[in-house]
Every structure is written in structure tokens, then in C-alpha cells.
Amino acid sequence: MQFLRWSKLVCEKLWSEKYWADITDPCSGQPYFGQASSTIYADINANMVLLKYDSEDVGGCRVMAHPEWRFHSYPATLFTSAPFETLSAVLYSVNTTSK
């Protein structure tokens, strides 16, 4: 399943349960579904620091290298106000019913 379609399904389920949720656009660092602001979230930097992923400079742009899939991955981040148990249930539901 494509990431944007998957993330929209996850966010919609969380929204329906009255939780805030959004993903970041890794190109701009801005919210994908919400309103843009002057604050950005750098997915590549976060993946390097938090997950210890490598990155490479490709034409002046940092590109994340996933440990298994290398450059065949999409480094977006999902944020939510939902508790872990709710998020886990939503992820399970989307991953098992939306293939």
C-alpha cells in the first residue's frame, strides 16, 4: 500500500476517535494534512538521531538510508495525541483490513 494512502487511513481512524493526528511532508517538514507554519520537522535528521539511520548527500539534498531497504523508503513521521494502545489498535486495523 502506498504510504500516503496508508497514512490517510490511519489519520482518519484516529480523527474519528477524536484524536489529533498528522504526518510530515519530508520534503518541506510541514504537516501534510494540517496547516503549515514557520516551524518545520526534519524527518531525515530525526531518523539519523533517533533511529541511527545513515544518510547520504545526493545533489545537495540529504537522503535517508534505511538499514534494510537503503534508499527505497519514505522517511515521513506520524504524530498523534492518541495513547499507545489506541494507536496500536488503529495500526493493526488498517494493516489487516486495507491491503
Side-chain angles (χ1 to χ4, degrees):
M1 178 183 308
Q2 292 181 343
F3 177 77
L4 289 177
R5 184 172 150 236
W6 175 87
S7 64
K8 185 174 182 190
L9 290 171
V10 170
C11 286
E12 286 173 343
K13 279 193 167 286
L14 291 167
W15 297 333
S16 74
E17 295 186 31
K18 306 298 183 225
Y19 294 105
W20 170 83
D22 207 337
I23 62 167
T24 56
D25 177 347
C27 294
S28 68
Q30 295 290 324
Y32 191 82
F33 301 112
Q35 185 175 355
S37 73
S38 60
T39 305
I40 64 164
Y41 181 79
D43 290 283
I44 300 293
N45 293 347
N47 287 325
M48 290 170 49
V49 172
L50 300 172
L51 302 174
K52 308 296 185 221
Y53 288 2
D54 292 329
S55 70
E56 289 187 20
D57 188 347
V58 178
C61 180
R62 297 298 304 165
V63 179
M64 183 194 77
H66 185 277
E68 182 178 347
W69 304 309
R70 300 299 297 156
F71 303 112
H72 302 283
S73 59
Y74 190 79
T77 304
L78 183 135
F79 292 94
T80 184
S81 61
F84 176 78
E85 295 77 16
T86 302
L87 176 61
S88 184
V90 166
L91 292 174
Y92 180 81
S93 172
V94 169
N95 290 337
T96 57
T97 60
S98 305
K99 297 198 180 215

